[in-house]
Amino acid sequence: MPLITEPHQFNVGDLYVDLLGIVGQPLYLKCEGFNFAGSIKLKAAAEMVAAAERSGALGPDSVLVESSSGNLGVALSMILAGRGRRFECVTDSRCNPAAVRLMESYGAVVHLITEPGADGGFLTARLDHVRALCARDDRYVWLNQYANPDNWGAHYRTTGPEILKQFPDVEVLFVGAGTTGTLMGCARYIRDEQLPVKVIAVDAVGSVTFGLPPSRRLIPGLGTSTPPAIFDASFADEVVHVSEPDSIAMCRRLAGHGFLFGGSTGTVLAGALDWLSRNPMSGTGVLIAPDLGERYLDSIYDDGWLASNYETEGARG
């Protein structure tokens, strides 16, 4: 058995759930939540930190700062704790309390933004706060996952090849769009390898990434109020938008079959089924599940939270 010297070395990248018996479609869910950080963000975090160290951007006195809705912050907290480095995460009030506690347990400082920016989005406010920190103290180093090519590079190097190794004849890949690192990395890999795989992006209703107007979003992970600089719409063959009640209903449907996943997974599966209702497959489809559901017990799996935030009964599943 190989020895683990750093937590990011441990990643179960080849665990899939066969969804045929649940949704009646030949779909496989790639589970990325079984590592020490609990999400796919461990890949991007490790890649971006390693690149910053190689370039010399991270010096001995550096304080790494990053904006995150939760999972990347947890992954960076863990990695930087292992390196004896300081980390500060700028998140907002939608971040799961469990993620905040995890970051603080690793020794990170968490800045919680409670008011949206001028455009009505929390991301803008978070980024303004990061820029203010960097302007105030030159020890701060911002990885900037939204513009950092090592974000999508991590998935070009790992996630894309992992999927194609397991499913060499995959017909359709469904990927959620948050920072778009996973989407861009997998899509770029597929295009460079000239593979006959259709890439379907799945975004949240209320996200502006693909040019739709902004609206309220409460589930962290997918969607943006400011399009990421690394995003290039030409790499997605199509996009499907999913409402948050539909995302929650799908999460609860999966839980009823013994699989507890996060909101992004419910969104991607709901989007996949929507797309497949109009585009029947002749082969296999793969979806990416970024994390598990334990961090969402106080939100999407809580009836009180659901009742206080949504009028529809459909989200109950």
Side-chain angles (χ1 to χ4, degrees), residues 5 8 26 42 44 64-65 80 89 110 201 240 253 267 306:
T5 58
H8 74 262
L42 180 60
L64 194 146
V65 62
L80 294 165
C89 180
V110 178
V240 180
R253 181 178 174 182
T267 304
L306 187 63

Side-chain angles (χ1 to χ4, degrees), residues 1 3 12 38 50 53 98 121 138 169 224 228 239-240 274 279 288 299 312 317:
M1 177 180 292
L3 294 176
V12 181
E53 289 179 332
D138 60 9
D169 297 322
T224 65
V239 60
V240 180
D274 180 19
N279 304 274
I288 298 175
S299 55
T312 178

Side-chain angles (χ1 to χ4, degrees), residues 9-310:
Q9 291 177 320
F10 178 72
N11 180 57
V12 181
D14 294 317
L15 182 61
Y16 294 80
V17 173
D18 184 346
L19 296 173
L20 180 63
I22 300 175
V23 300
Q25 293 279 2
L27 295 173
Y28 292 86
L29 192 60
K30 188 179 195 301
C31 303
E32 290 282 353
F34 293 98
N35 57 54
F36 285 122
S39 83
I40 196 171
K41 290 292 189 178
L42 180 60
K43 292 177 174 179
E47 193 88 4
M48 290 190 295
V49 169
E53 289 179 332
R54 287 194 303 268
S55 70
L58 283 178
D61 298 323
S62 295
V63 180
L64 194 146
V65 62
E66 185 56 83
S67 161
S68 169
S69 61
N71 282 338
L72 182 72
V74 172
L76 287 171
S77 298
M78 183 192 74
I79 290 172
L80 294 165
R83 284 163 158 73
R85 291 188 176 278
R86 294 173 57 191
F87 173 57
E88 299 189 15
C89 180
V90 179
T91 188
D92 62 65
S93 52
R94 298 170 302 173
C95 183
N96 298 312
V100 173
R101 291 195 294 270
L102 278 168
M103 287 187 273
E104 292 176 338
S105 296
Y106 285 121
V109 174
V110 178
H111 301 253
L112 194 66
I113 305 301
T114 58
E115 296 294 331
D119 63 354
F122 278 99
L123 177 56
T124 303
R126 282 170 18 204
L127 296 182
D128 287 344
H129 191 80
V130 170
R131 293 185 183 101
L133 289 173
C134 293
R136 189 174 70 203
D137 190 332
D138 60 9
R139 291 177 302 166
Y140 280 94
V141 175
W142 180 22
L143 291 178
N144 193 0
Q145 62 166 326
Y146 312 99
N148 193 326
D150 292 306
N151 182 353
W152 64 259
H155 303 288
Y156 186 98
R157 186 176 61 83
T158 61
T159 312
E162 288 166 2
I163 292 170
L164 271 297
K165 179 181 178 181
Q166 187 74 25
F167 296 96
D169 297 322
V170 60
E171 181 179 341
V172 187
L173 176 63
F174 299 92
V175 190
T179 67
T180 70
T182 307
L183 174 64
M184 290 295 99
C186 291
R188 285 175 181 272
Y189 175 78
I190 286 169
R191 182 171 295 185
D192 285 353
E193 294 295 315
Q194 299 182 329
L195 301 170
V197 181
K198 190 176 289 289
V199 177
I200 308 301
V202 182
D203 200 6
V205 169
S207 167
V208 306
T209 303
F210 287 88
L212 293 188
S215 62
R216 185 187 75 153
R217 292 179 294 108
L218 299 179
I219 301 175
L222 296 189
T224 65
S225 55
T226 302
I230 61 172
F231 173 64
D232 182 342
S234 70
F235 282 93
D237 293 295
E238 294 183 45
V239 60
V240 180
H241 285 86
V242 177
S243 71
E244 290 194 332
D246 286 346
S247 300
I248 296 167
M250 188 57 69
C251 285
R252 290 179 169 222
R253 181 178 174 182
L254 286 168
H257 289 271
F259 298 104
L260 199 71
F261 287 104
S264 298
T265 300
T267 304
V268 174
L269 181 53
L273 294 180
D274 180 19
W275 188 85
L276 289 169
S277 70
R278 302 182 301 276
N279 304 274
M281 280 192 308
S282 59
T284 297
V286 175
L287 304 80
I288 298 175
D291 61 6
L292 302 178
E294 290 91 339
R295 295 176 189 175
Y296 305 86
L297 295 178
D298 295 328
S299 55
I300 62 178
Y301 293 105
D302 182 81
D303 285 343
W305 181 88
L306 187 63
S308 66
N309 287 292
Y310 301 93

